[in-house]
Amino acid sequence: FGDARPMDSITRLTAVSPGRSRLDITHPPSGRTTTTDEPEPLGEGSAMTPLQTFFSGFLGSTNVILRKCAERHGAKIMALELDLAVNVNRRGMTFEEEVAQPFPKATLTHKVVTDADEETFAAMVDDLNRHCALHRAIRNAGIELVEIWDVERP
């Protein structure tokens, strides 16, 4: 209550392809842009691939939501490094065969420096898994998400 924002919203993006595999993407309300491309010979190699961009969004969301979780629990994250390794079944992308699950497993290693004690940190991780839209989307897509936590305290 007291929150005037709607429960649901629409995120809108527009995109223009100047040729080959490059795509210039814009978020019209903010004017921010990004580009995706494929390596040569399919593209120009000028930007991350769409697949890399997809998973970089997951890492960005993990960073933002984990930091919100820390703030919510009165803790601080002094440093955060994320390393994501995704098993990719490329047979669908190469048109060899239709693949039901192109990403069967993803392993995310978090290196965190925080002042949160063990109990608080466990609550932060629980909140991350409940409130991070991309964590939920990855899991709901049937991708086995293995998370490794390397936590240091100052």
Side-chain angles (χ1 to χ4, degrees):
F1 303 97
D3 186 354
R5 293 177 297 168
M7 295 290 287
D8 296 312
S9 64
I10 296 171
T11 296
R12 185 171 157 254
L13 301 170
T14 61
V16 175
S17 177
R20 296 184 79 180
S21 295
R22 182 175 156 179
L23 190 67
D24 298 323
I25 305 156
T26 302
H27 178 249
S30 68
R32 289 187 295 262
T33 63
T34 192
T35 298
T36 63
D37 199 357
E38 291 288 337
E40 293 181 359
L42 296 175
E44 302 167 7
S46 66
M48 284 199 284
T49 68
L51 184 60
Q52 293 163 340
T53 303
F54 175 84
F55 284 109
S56 69
F58 171 63
L59 293 176
S61 186
T62 299
N63 171 55
V64 169
I65 301 301
L66 184 60
R67 289 178 182 278
K68 284 183 177 182
C69 293
E71 185 177 309
R72 181 175 186 225
H73 289 279
K76 290 186 177 141
I77 293 177
M78 289 73 124
L80 176 63
E81 293 180 26
L82 301 171
D83 184 340
L84 180 65
V86 181
N87 295 54
V88 180
N89 182 339
R90 300 189 61 80
R91 291 190 309 262
M93 291 181 262
T94 58
F95 292 89
E96 292 176 46
E97 64 182 89
E98 183 177 355
V99 174
Q101 180 49 277
F103 316 116
K105 181 179 179 181
T107 303
L108 177 56
T109 302
H110 314 70
K111 292 183 180 180
V112 184
V113 178
T114 181
D115 63 357
D117 60 32
E118 285 186 37
E119 183 179 325
T120 301
F121 190 75
M124 289 165 47
V125 170
D126 184 55
D127 279 353
L128 173 69
N129 289 317
R130 289 186 307 119
H131 297 289
C132 180
L134 295 183
H135 269 254
R136 295 188 68 90
I138 292 286
R139 285 198 169 88
N140 290 343
I143 299 171
E144 178 189 355
L145 179 59
V146 177
E147 294 190 82
I148 300 167
W149 294 91
D150 179 4
V151 180
E152 293 181 26
R153 293 178 176 82

Short mmCIF file of all heavy atoms in Angstrom, two decimals, residues 1 12 27 29 31 38-39 44 46 56 59 86 92-93 103-104 115 138 146:
data_model
loop_
_atom_site.label_atom_id
_atom_site.label_comp_id
_atom_site.label_asym_id
_atom_site.label_seq_id
_atom_site.Cartn_x
_atom_site.Cartn_y
_atom_site.Cartn_z
N PHE A 1 0.84 -1.17 0.00
CA PHE A 1 0.00 0.00 0.00
C PHE A 1 0.88 1.24 0.00
O PHE A 1 1.99 1.21 0.47
CB PHE A 1 -0.92 -0.03 1.22
CG PHE A 1 -1.75 -1.27 1.25
CD1 PHE A 1 -1.37 -2.35 2.01
CD2 PHE A 1 -2.91 -1.39 0.49
CE1 PHE A 1 -2.14 -3.50 2.04
CE2 PHE A 1 -3.67 -2.52 0.51
CZ PHE A 1 -3.29 -3.59 1.29
N ARG A 12 9.92 -2.13 -22.90
CA ARG A 12 9.88 -2.04 -24.36
C ARG A 12 11.28 -1.78 -24.89
O ARG A 12 12.00 -0.92 -24.39
CB ARG A 12 8.94 -0.92 -24.78
CG ARG A 12 8.75 -0.84 -26.26
CD ARG A 12 7.64 0.15 -26.63
NE ARG A 12 7.85 0.60 -27.99
CZ ARG A 12 8.30 1.79 -28.32
NH1 ARG A 12 8.56 2.68 -27.39
NH2 ARG A 12 8.48 2.11 -29.58
N HIS A 27 16.38 1.26 -25.79
CA HIS A 27 15.31 1.34 -24.79
C HIS A 27 14.72 2.75 -24.96
O HIS A 27 15.32 3.73 -24.48
CB HIS A 27 15.90 1.14 -23.39
CG HIS A 27 14.90 1.27 -22.30
ND1 HIS A 27 14.90 2.32 -21.41
CD2 HIS A 27 13.86 0.48 -21.95
CE1 HIS A 27 13.92 2.18 -20.56
NE2 HIS A 27 13.26 1.07 -20.86
N PRO A 29 12.33 4.74 -23.76
CA PRO A 29 12.10 5.74 -22.71
C PRO A 29 13.38 6.42 -22.23
O PRO A 29 13.38 7.59 -21.89
CB PRO A 29 11.46 4.94 -21.57
CG PRO A 29 10.83 3.76 -22.26
CD PRO A 29 11.76 3.43 -23.40
N GLY A 31 16.54 6.11 -23.97
CA GLY A 31 17.47 6.39 -25.05
C GLY A 31 18.75 5.57 -24.98
O GLY A 31 19.63 5.70 -25.83
N GLU A 38 27.60 -11.24 -33.98
CA GLU A 38 28.21 -12.57 -33.98
C GLU A 38 29.65 -12.42 -34.45
O GLU A 38 29.99 -11.49 -35.18
CB GLU A 38 27.46 -13.51 -34.94
CG GLU A 38 26.07 -13.90 -34.46
CD GLU A 38 26.06 -14.86 -33.29
OE1 GLU A 38 27.07 -15.58 -33.08
OE2 GLU A 38 25.06 -14.88 -32.57
N PRO A 39 30.52 -13.34 -34.05
CA PRO A 39 31.89 -13.29 -34.56
C PRO A 39 31.92 -13.57 -36.06
O PRO A 39 30.98 -14.13 -36.62
CB PRO A 39 32.61 -14.40 -33.79
CG PRO A 39 31.61 -15.06 -32.92
CD PRO A 39 30.28 -14.43 -33.12
N GLU A 44 30.29 -9.26 -37.66
CA GLU A 44 31.47 -8.40 -37.68
C GLU A 44 32.33 -8.57 -36.44
O GLU A 44 33.43 -8.02 -36.37
CB GLU A 44 31.03 -6.94 -37.80
CG GLU A 44 30.19 -6.65 -39.03
CD GLU A 44 29.50 -5.30 -38.95
OE1 GLU A 44 29.77 -4.52 -38.01
OE2 GLU A 44 28.68 -5.02 -39.83
N SER A 46 31.68 -7.20 -33.57
CA SER A 46 31.76 -5.86 -32.98
C SER A 46 31.18 -5.76 -31.56
O SER A 46 31.33 -4.72 -30.93
CB SER A 46 31.03 -4.86 -33.88
OG SER A 46 29.64 -5.15 -33.92
N SER A 56 24.69 -12.06 -19.66
CA SER A 56 25.23 -10.90 -18.95
C SER A 56 24.12 -10.16 -18.21
O SER A 56 24.35 -9.61 -17.13
CB SER A 56 25.99 -9.97 -19.89
OG SER A 56 25.13 -9.33 -20.79
N LEU A 59 23.76 -11.85 -14.94
CA LEU A 59 24.80 -11.44 -13.99
C LEU A 59 24.51 -10.04 -13.45
O LEU A 59 24.66 -9.79 -12.26
CB LEU A 59 26.18 -11.47 -14.65
CG LEU A 59 26.70 -12.85 -15.03
CD1 LEU A 59 28.03 -12.73 -15.75
CD2 LEU A 59 26.82 -13.74 -13.82
N VAL A 86 28.15 -21.73 -18.54
CA VAL A 86 26.88 -22.28 -19.01
C VAL A 86 27.17 -23.43 -19.98
O VAL A 86 27.92 -23.25 -20.94
CB VAL A 86 26.02 -21.22 -19.72
CG1 VAL A 86 24.70 -21.80 -20.19
CG2 VAL A 86 25.78 -20.03 -18.80
N GLY A 92 20.84 -27.29 -31.58
CA GLY A 92 19.70 -26.54 -32.07
C GLY A 92 20.12 -25.30 -32.85
O GLY A 92 19.58 -25.00 -33.91
N MET A 93 21.12 -24.58 -32.34
CA MET A 93 21.59 -23.36 -32.99
C MET A 93 22.26 -23.64 -34.33
O MET A 93 22.29 -22.77 -35.21
CB MET A 93 22.58 -22.62 -32.08
CG MET A 93 21.93 -22.02 -30.86
SD MET A 93 23.13 -21.14 -29.85
CE MET A 93 23.50 -22.39 -28.62
N PHE A 103 20.27 -25.07 -22.70
CA PHE A 103 21.17 -24.75 -21.59
C PHE A 103 20.87 -25.68 -20.41
O PHE A 103 20.18 -25.28 -19.47
CB PHE A 103 21.01 -23.29 -21.15
CG PHE A 103 20.92 -22.33 -22.29
CD1 PHE A 103 19.77 -21.60 -22.50
CD2 PHE A 103 21.98 -22.17 -23.17
CE1 PHE A 103 19.67 -20.70 -23.55
CE2 PHE A 103 21.89 -21.28 -24.23
CZ PHE A 103 20.74 -20.55 -24.42
N PRO A 104 21.37 -26.90 -20.43
CA PRO A 104 20.99 -27.83 -19.37
C PRO A 104 21.51 -27.46 -17.99
O PRO A 104 20.87 -27.77 -16.98
CB PRO A 104 21.58 -29.17 -19.84
CG PRO A 104 22.60 -28.83 -20.86
CD PRO A 104 22.22 -27.51 -21.45
N ASP A 115 29.94 -7.81 5.25
CA ASP A 115 29.95 -7.78 6.71
C ASP A 115 28.80 -8.58 7.30
O ASP A 115 28.65 -8.66 8.52
CB ASP A 115 29.92 -6.33 7.22
CG ASP A 115 28.66 -5.58 6.84
OD1 ASP A 115 27.80 -6.14 6.11
OD2 ASP A 115 28.53 -4.41 7.27
N ILE A 138 15.50 -18.31 -14.99
CA ILE A 138 16.48 -19.36 -15.31
C ILE A 138 16.01 -20.69 -14.72
O ILE A 138 15.97 -21.72 -15.40
CB ILE A 138 17.88 -18.99 -14.76
CG1 ILE A 138 18.45 -17.80 -15.52
CG2 ILE A 138 18.83 -20.18 -14.76
CD1 ILE A 138 18.95 -18.05 -16.90
N VAL A 146 23.56 -24.19 -10.55
CA VAL A 146 24.44 -24.54 -9.43
C VAL A 146 25.09 -23.25 -8.98
O VAL A 146 25.73 -22.55 -9.78
CB VAL A 146 25.51 -25.57 -9.85
CG1 VAL A 146 26.45 -25.86 -8.70
CG2 VAL A 146 24.85 -26.84 -10.37
#
